[in-house]
Amino acid sequence: MTTDSVMTLSNIHMRFPFGEDWRGRPRGYVHALNGIDLEILRGKTLGVVGESGCGKSTLAQVLMGIRKPSEGEVTRNFGADHDVQIVFQDPQSSLNARMPVWRVITEPVFAVSKRPKAELRALAADLAAKVGLRPEVLDRYPHEFSGGQRQRIAIARALSSDPDVIVLDEPTSALDISIQAQILNLLKDLQAERGLTYIFISHDISVVRYLCDEVAVMYLGQVVEHGASEAVLAAPKHPYTRLLLDSIPTMRATGGLGEALSNTDLPSNRNLPTGCFFKDRCEQAGAGCDVRQNMVPSEQAQVRCCQTVATTPQKVSA
Amino acid sequence: MADPVLKIDGLEVLFPGFSGDVHAVNGVDLDVQRGEIVGLVGESGSAKSVTAMTALGLLPPGAFRQSAGTISILGRDVATMSEREMNKLRGGDVAMIFQEPQTALNPTKTIGKQMLRVIELHSDLRGMAARDRAIELLKDMRINDAEEILGRYPFELSGGMRQRILIGMAFACSPKLLVADEPTTALDVTVQRQVLQLLHAKARQTGASVLFISHDLAVISQFCDRIYVMYAGRVVESGPAQKVLGNPQHPYTAALIEALPEDADPGAPLASIPGTVPNLVNPPKGCAFQARCRHAHAACDSRPVLTDVGSKHQAACWLREEISA
Ligand SMILES: Nc1ncnc2c1ncn2[C@@H]1O[C@H](COP(=O)(O)OP(=O)(O)OP(=O)(O)O)[C@@H](O)[C@H]1O
Ligand SMILES: Nc1ncnc2c1ncn2[C@@H]1O[C@H](COP(=O)(O)OP(=O)(O)O)[C@@H](O)[C@H]1O
Ligand code: SF4
Ligand code: SF4
Ligand SMILES: [Mg+2]
Ligand SMILES: [Mg+2]
């Protein structure tokens, strides 16, 4: 572990039991995370991408410490008075509708230390200004605001306990393009000012390319490619990363939509595939793919695929 | 020339409310010609859905008022059509697909039951012939074990699979117009690409026209022949997709494209559009984009109309009028 890592995940597994047999034992398990190793670098932004159901939000819950992994180790490299905060996709349902905005913003602080009202209000006013909200918003209620404004409130709330790490779970997917740009600029400014570490979960690759230093591509509860986002997105090595990048609609495309993909279904995470998890959908699958794959260091990335030519291990980020 | 499949002229729609009427659609003209794939693009609340729903007579009666404008489908004025005739039109010559494939299917009935009902309602096919047609439609949508899928319930299928089934059903009665409102917004990009490709191919193959609604400029640019850009219940720019998005003439269209992170330099801030959309209880008298526009000037206090800015390319902005004048 290097000194500049703020959190480290080693071999994280997360299983959820489902169903019950006649003796009350689970009938099986949903394998949501299947061996995640990640080092989160201080002051940087790590993008996490992958299809719905691949385990992004479960990973966020493990990072937040609100779920204990079934297996594996989470190491936190910051003091007990600091914490990890989160901003969710849907600012409508993630904010307490019965509280005025100043209470919403200071909820994380109030939860750990009961401070006087005047002090909390002053803190809320500070943070509101920081995220570009006018002071008169403090006594209004979340439902009175637009989606973009609510997301500003959610960001102010996440900042209130002075966290080291903020998990952003699809924070702009519900927003319009013009508002998304405002929020992304705000996140960048706050990071520069406060040295925040972000874990940015998204399915929008162009946003990840713009915002993230590193990217981890997830498939069926595993990271299949991890590296500097510039390198990974410009020259993806894993067949799944390539498929994902090829599928993104782009304004620059010429020649229409191409051929229809034949298989877009994720394999079930109740019975994990033997061999490489991506085998069923992989056009390059061959003999070497019948065994589980490990991460192989290759140039500026780590890749979980037998066809990756290993090069001298290199540290992933600058 | 044949009648357009859909023609909307001067449409105004408002929703009565406690704190005043919401003026959702404020004078929209639009047409869809035979075999054309036309896109409606704009931000949330710009009235893409209300425009389409009004045209198809799908807004709940009593909740809204059409205060101006005419709508004709396949050459017939919908104001002269009875509810029964409209019902026959929908699901016959006109089909619809919405964003949430979950809610569009009945959770208590198998896929087969639901498909057969649609096929039998709108065609002469019965029994095995109807079943064969259902299987054919599913196979066209790249659903491999079609026979088996007919026996399944919607919750047993993925979102992408459900959306492909709905597209298959939409084409069951060979529609002349298909209205698709954000049909892939809830899907992953790999699934989205597959669904878009299949929908596009099927429309071209059957000659159906499509009115395709999306907030995603990239999807719109790849999918549509011609597009309308909407803002605050008005069309601000229209024309061939490549022209409008490649060489936007309205400041709003241009600003939207600039705000995309796709080509942005990670070291520099994104070109965001300041402010938010106007309140439609009191819509602006002049240009609706005025409060956020960096080119706003005195003329913009009155409302600009759509003006030709190139071949088949129109924009509603005083800057363009002044240039062409
Ligand atoms: N039933 C209703 N009652 C009152 N106002 C409504 C109703 N339906 C729509 N509106 C209003 O009409 C305007 C246009 O809404 P519409 O749903 O057409 O937008 P849209 O462009 O489809 O947006 P989105 O991208 O979010 O789907 C909005 O201001 C909306 O709040
Ligand atoms: N509390 C839970 N109980 C059972 N299964 C769960 C639970 N939370 C998540 N899962 C399952 O774990 C997998 C990963 O889910 P999630 O982390 O939410 O994915 P993502 O955020 O990438 O869409 C999914 O199959 C999901 O259904
Ligand atoms: S290990 Fe084999 S199946 Fe898996 S991604 Fe690599 S080539 Fe494809
Ligand atoms: S009419 Fe005026 S305010 Fe409206 S877009 Fe054109 S320049 Fe901007
Ligand atoms: Mg999630
Ligand atoms: Mg809509």
Side-chain angles (χ1 to χ4, degrees), chain B residues 13-122:
Chain B
V13 176
L14 54 84
F15 294 95
F18 282 124
S19 38
D21 299 343
V22 177
H23 296 264
V25 183
N26 300 299
V28 165
D29 300 326
L30 141 154
D31 62 85
V32 179
Q33 303 294 331
R34 287 194 191 238
E36 229 190 347
I37 300 186
V38 172
L40 271 190
V41 66
E43 293 181 280
S44 186
S46 59
K48 306 179 294 293
S49 301
V50 171
T51 302
M53 303 277 272
T54 311
L56 301 187
L58 283 175
L59 287 177
F64 77 107
R65 203 169 86 231
Q66 181 183 331
S67 47
T70 56
I71 297 160
S72 64
I73 296 180
L74 297 162
R76 293 187 62 193
D77 183 349
V78 301
T80 67
M81 292 170 71
S82 69
E83 189 51 37
R84 232 187 102 241
E85 286 174 308
M86 275 307 275
N87 268 330
K88 190 151 176 291
L89 193 65
R90 292 188 296 253
D93 281 338
V94 180
M96 291 142 301
I97 310 169
F98 298 105
Q99 172 168 348
E100 233 336 299
Q102 181 78 66
T103 52
L105 287 165
N106 182 336
T108 66
K109 294 207 166 81
T110 61
I111 299 298
K113 264 219 161 73
Q114 302 188 54
M115 289 193 78
L116 291 185
R117 200 186 140 264
V118 171
I119 292 168
E120 292 180 354
L121 199 63
H122 295 281

Side-chain angles (χ1 to χ4, degrees), chain A residues 44-100:
Chain A
K44 302 276 180 190
T45 302
L46 170 68
V48 178
V49 302
E51 284 161 303
S52 78
C54 74
K56 303 183 296 295
S57 297
T58 305
L59 177 66
Q61 290 167 349
V62 170
L63 287 164
M64 300 275 305
I66 52 182
R67 259 193 209 286
K68 197 178 151 6
S70 323
E71 208 180 299
E73 194 88 43
V74 181
T75 319
R76 292 158 165 254
N77 247 339
F78 44 83
D81 56 331
H82 286 236
D83 60 353
V84 181
Q85 284 294 330
I86 189 160
V87 174
F88 292 103
Q89 165 171 359
D90 180 6
Q92 175 82 61
S93 56
S94 64
L95 302 176
N96 190 333
R98 281 184 295 273
M99 286 185 182

Side-chain angles (χ1 to χ4, degrees), chain A residues 213-225:
Chain A
D213 303 292
E214 289 186 4
V215 62
V217 181
M218 283 182 69
Y219 189 78
L220 211 63
Q222 290 186 327
V223 174
V224 297
E225 183 158 1

